[in-house]
């Protein structure tokens, strides 16, 4: 997804007025006081997350009736762009999503604004002080950390998003207003909808859970980017089928886009039929994508790299370095030598901190760089948070890689391989069987063929009879290696022919069926789905699946310092 591209900068004759966000292909929301600061005839919108694109002329089509004072109500403006933009609009969160559950921890929120000195944009982390509405209009925000960036002039009109999903819960309308005051205000989406009813159809309800809505939105945007939009009549037929015999009838003229058809399903179908209708329409969109889209819609991963190394200070100590990669830059998050007993907690804390460096809404990827003798470490089974024992690999796409492959020559080879893999429609499994007699050199030849990219092992990495083959797959270098930590490991004294009943053969058979049509760039997301299935089903074949996935194009030099942020004054 490219949902982060919907962040907007509001300008007038080249001067930055504030922030805004795209909610439909031609509609941007911002504060009324932002657009009142400039001439209505010279307004334009720039999408800063699409560098090099020209500002788009805009006009105010609705004003919430703001009176001009800092405490006046109705501080909302709806802008219509001169043309549709090829940007996925923001996804809105359900009402009250910003509030923690009773007794729960506050939810981290983030706003993307343009204060003085940051015309390229910057982030401010915050949280809701209390669920109470001030004057029935605003929710108070406070800075997430006492030493973090607080809201300031230039954040007005910025979307306030959930840091874990990128969904919008409201809009910044005011900062603290005085030095040392580290709070501000936002207008929540339900209040914004009072002034612009068109927003109602975009706010999900209990009938459409956030996960279902996000999945449908992701598929629709992928289909649109791949040029798979349907004709109006076919879209109406798909909606009618999703709605069922008792659902609302689509408009007679059909739908002018796949987005509008999806919006109809989300907003016009309610009650007990709503969830099933969304699921059916999602299946239709997924079917549209199957022929070509898997080769064209690769995610633009925003990785968080966890580098674990032997410390040299004894077996009880581990050297940890955590980095976030965003906008082509590496951002060091933390490094330390920690006791093994504290390793998990330290990594949890640093991963949470790393999300603050990612562009909201980007495709996060958790990658562990491990020494080869730790390559089977079950990091995907670590709890995702101190108060959430959901396995980390069931929450985020998670992969491992071999530290020995971080050297420049191997990265060069892998980059060349990945440039070739972009054209492959799927990752065909090169099987390494339990009882196979193939020479490791022959495996290397297989893995160097143009259509080969994924080595699948029926054994664990430490299995004596296939360990040379495993090492060969890493040095070939194979960009993808998959195995099961519970795979066949009968030992050198108990040879296994890999026949029926062998756990390793079952694993490879199931793996082949599940990933052979998945593009290499999408494989982390497919493995995430398999881990979720396995976590909910006893004895699932993929419960201990381990994915070594290594695309150097999504990382800058892991040993280089963080690039300095470019700052230029606001006109």
């Amino acid at each position: 997804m490219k949902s982060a591209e919907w962040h907007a900068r509001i300008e007038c004759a080249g001067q930055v007025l504030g922030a805004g966000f795209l909610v439909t292909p031609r509609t941007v929301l911002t504060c009324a006081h932002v657009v009142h600061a400039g001439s209505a005839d010279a307004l334009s919108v720039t999408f800063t997350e699409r560098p090099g694109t020209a500002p788009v002329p805009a006009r105010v089509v609705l004003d919430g009736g703001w009176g001009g004072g800092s405490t006046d109500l109705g501080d909302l403006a709806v802008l219509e762009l001169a043309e549709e933009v090829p940007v996925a609009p923001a996804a809105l969160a359900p009402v009250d999503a910003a509030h923690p559950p009773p007794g729960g921890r506050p939810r981290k929120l983030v706003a993307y604004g343009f204060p003085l000195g940051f015309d390229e944009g910057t982030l401010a982390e915050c949280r809701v002080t209390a669920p109470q509405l001030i004057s029935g209009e605003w929710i108070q925000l406070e800075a997430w950390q006492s030493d973090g960036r607080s809201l300031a002039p230039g954040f007005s009109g910025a979307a306030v998003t959930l840091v874990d999903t990128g969904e919008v819960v409201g809009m910044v309308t005011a900062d603290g207003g005085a030095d040392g005051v580290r709070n501000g205000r936002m207008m929540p989406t339900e209040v914004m909808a009072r002034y612009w009813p068109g927003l109602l159809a975009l706010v999900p309800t209990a009938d459409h859970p956030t996960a279902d809505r996000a999945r449908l939105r992701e598929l629709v945007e992928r289909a649109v980017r791949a040029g798979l939009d349907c004709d109006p009549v076919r879209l109406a037929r798909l909606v009618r089928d999703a709605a069922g015999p008792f659902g609302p009838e689509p408009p007679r003229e059909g739908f002018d886009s796949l987005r509008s058809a999806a919006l109809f399903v989300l907003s016009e179908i309610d009650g007990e039929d709503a969830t099933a209708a969304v699921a059916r329409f999602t299946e239709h969109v997924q079917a549209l994508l199957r022929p070509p889209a898997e080769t064209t819609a690769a995610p633009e991963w925003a990785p968080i790299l966890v580098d674990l190394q032997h410390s040299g200070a004894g077996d009880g100590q581990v050297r940890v370095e955590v980095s976030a990669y965003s906008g082509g830059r590496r951002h060091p998050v933390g490094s330390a030598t920690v006791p093994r007993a504290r390793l998990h907690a330290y990594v949890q804390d640093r991963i949470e901190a790393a999300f603050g460096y990612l562009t909201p809404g980007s495709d996060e990827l958790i990658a562990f760089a491990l020494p080869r003798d730790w390559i089977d470490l079950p990091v995907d089974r670590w709890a995702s948070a101190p108060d959430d024992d959901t396995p980390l690999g069931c929450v985020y796409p998670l992969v491992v890689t071999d530290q020995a492959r971080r050297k420049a020559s191997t990265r060069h080879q892998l980059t060349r391989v990945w440039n070739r893999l972009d054209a492959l429609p799927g990752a065909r499994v090169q099987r390494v069987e339990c009882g196979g007699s193939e020479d490791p050199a022959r495996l290397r030849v297989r893995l160097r063929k143009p259509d080969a990219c994924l080595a699948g092992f029926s054994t664990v990495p430490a299995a004596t009879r296939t360990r040379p083959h495993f090492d060969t797959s890493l040095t070939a270098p194979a960009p993808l290696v998959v195995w099961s930590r519970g795979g066949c490991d009968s030992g050198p004294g108990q040879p296994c022919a890999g026949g029926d009943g062998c756990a390793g053969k079952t694993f490879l058979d199931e793996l082949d069926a599940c990933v052979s049509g998945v593009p290499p760039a999408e494989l982390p997301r497919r493995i995430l789905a398999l881990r979720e299935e396995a976590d909910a089903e006893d004895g699932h074949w993929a419960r201990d699946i381990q994915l070594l996935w290594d695309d150097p194009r999504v990382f800058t030099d892991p040993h280089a310092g963080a690039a300095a942020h470019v700052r230029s004054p606001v006109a």
Side-chain angles (χ1 to χ4, degrees):
M1 289 190 300
K2 296 184 178 180
S3 57
E5 293 181 347
W6 48 255
H7 292 291
R9 186 174 66 202
I10 313 301
E11 303 165 353
C12 180
Q15 180 180 1
V16 177
L17 301 181
F21 55 103
L22 188 77
V23 292
T24 79
R26 287 191 65 178
T27 307
V28 170
L29 301 185
T30 186
C31 292
H33 79 259
V34 168
V35 296
H36 283 207
S39 171
D41 297 331
L43 291 176
S44 62
V45 173
T46 296
F47 295 94
T48 57
E49 293 303 300
R50 294 175 62 88
T53 56
V56 183
R59 66 187 183 96
V60 179
V61 294
L62 184 141
D63 188 310
W66 178 65
S70 60
T71 59
D72 288 340
L73 307 183
D75 192 6
L76 173 73
V78 180
L79 306 184
E80 183 183 78
L81 302 179
E83 59 188 26
E84 286 194 6
V85 292
V87 173
L92 274 60
V95 174
D96 295 334
H99 307 307
R105 299 169 64 187
R107 300 196 68 176
K108 183 183 286 189
L109 308 175
V110 66
Y112 190 82
F114 304 91
L116 185 64
F118 291 88
D119 63 350
E120 78 280 13
T122 191
L123 300 172
E125 295 177 339
C126 50
R127 58 187 169 193
V128 168
T129 304
Q132 178 182 347
L133 278 176
I134 300 172
S135 298
E137 185 91 358
W138 307 290
I139 289 178
Q140 182 166 303
L141 301 173
E142 64 182 18
W144 181 259
Q145 295 179 324
S146 60
D147 58 349
R149 168 168 288 283
S150 59
L151 297 174
F155 277 93
S156 292
V160 180
T161 63
L162 298 169
V163 76
D164 51 350
T165 68
E167 294 173 312
V168 177
V169 297
M171 177 182 71
V172 176
T173 57
D175 57 57
D179 291 340
V181 178
R182 304 188 60 77
N183 60 25
R185 290 180 177 179
M186 79 168 179
M187 182 184 291
T189 53
E190 66 266 30
V191 174
M192 296 166 68
R194 293 180 199 163
Y195 300 106
W196 184 49
L199 201 63
L200 286 172
L202 305 178
V203 180
T205 66
D207 293 330
H208 305 299
T210 301
D212 296 344
R213 179 185 176 89
R215 177 62 177 158
L216 176 56
R217 179 178 177 279
E218 174 196 359
L219 291 172
V220 167
E221 296 306 329
R222 283 175 55 194
V224 171
R225 290 201 302 271
L228 296 178
D229 234 339
C230 303
D231 64 83
V233 175
R234 185 182 182 193
L235 285 173
R237 187 165 65 248
L238 295 180
V239 170
R240 190 178 292 109
D241 180 73
F246 303 108
E249 190 67 18
R252 183 173 301 175
E253 66 276 12
F255 299 95
D256 61 0
S257 70
L258 190 56
R259 289 191 183 105
S260 62
L263 182 59
F264 182 91
V265 173
L266 288 168
S267 61
E268 299 297 329
I269 305 174
D270 51 24
E272 296 180 357
D273 297 330
T275 301
V278 170
R280 283 193 292 267
F281 193 75
T282 300
E283 289 178 3
H284 290 325
V285 179
Q286 200 160 21
L288 291 174
L289 279 165
R290 282 191 191 110
E294 298 295 1
T295 66
T296 59
E300 294 185 358
W301 295 113
I304 295 172
L305 179 65
V306 182
D307 197 326
L308 305 183
Q309 303 180 44
H310 297 287
S311 72
D315 292 340
Q317 303 288 320
V318 180
R319 181 65 184 170
V320 188
E321 182 176 2
V322 180
S323 306
Y325 294 80
S326 180
R329 297 173 178 173
R330 172 181 174 265
H331 305 273
V333 177
S335 61
T337 298
V338 300
R340 278 181 175 266
R342 289 187 50 238
L343 175 62
H344 185 187
Y346 181 86
V347 170
Q348 279 181 339
D349 180 67
R350 294 298 88 197
I351 287 177
E352 176 65 25
F355 273 96
Y357 292 90
L358 302 186
T359 303
S362 57
D363 286 312
E364 73 280 353
L365 175 74
I366 310 297
F368 281 79
L370 305 172
R372 192 165 298 182
D373 58 338
W374 290 356
I375 204 68
D376 214 20
L377 198 67
V379 289
D380 59 293
R381 301 300 302 174
W382 289 2
S384 57
D387 58 350
D388 184 358
D389 60 1
T390 305
L392 191 64
C394 294
V395 178
Y396 309 110
L398 184 147
V399 302
V400 300
T401 189
D402 177 25
Q403 279 179 350
R405 304 193 344 163
R406 309 300 292 175
K407 59 185 180 181
S409 58
T410 306
R411 308 313 282 169
H412 177 82
Q413 287 180 284
L414 281 168
T415 299
R416 185 173 62 243
V417 171
W418 273 100
N419 287 337
R420 186 183 74 235
L421 296 185
D422 286 340
L424 288 184
R428 186 164 61 90
V429 179
Q430 302 294 314
R431 298 169 68 108
V432 181
E433 307 278 2
C434 304
S437 58
E438 181 181 38
D439 187 278
R442 296 301 304 169
L443 175 62
R444 180 184 297 275
V445 172
R446 271 205 285 155
L447 292 174
R448 287 187 176 275
K449 291 183 178 180
D451 63 342
C453 63
L454 193 159
F457 280 78
S458 62
T459 58
V460 296
T464 304
R465 60 190 176 279
T466 54
R467 182 56 190 260
H469 301 77
F470 186 82
D471 290 342
T472 294
S473 71
L474 297 186
T475 58
L480 305 164
V481 186
V482 181
W483 66 95
S484 170
R485 294 188 300 273
C488 179
D489 187 17
S490 54
Q494 298 174 300
C496 176
D500 291 340
C502 169
K505 180 181 184 301
T506 299
F507 175 80
L508 285 184
D509 289 345
E510 296 284 359
L511 178 70
D512 209 8
C514 285
V515 308
S516 60
V518 180
E522 288 278 5
L523 204 56
R525 187 172 288 146
R526 182 69 184 103
I527 297 300
L528 167 63
L530 287 174
R531 284 172 174 152
E532 288 180 301
E533 292 176 14
D535 194 55
E537 180 182 329
D538 291 339
H540 195 285
W541 66 271
R543 178 173 178 80
D544 294 311
I545 194 168
Q546 192 88 321
L547 170 64
L548 187 146
W549 183 99
D550 202 356
D551 183 353
R553 300 173 303 177
V554 304
F555 299 97
T556 52
D557 179 2
H559 303 296
H565 291 281
V566 179
R567 298 187 181 185
S568 41
V570 176

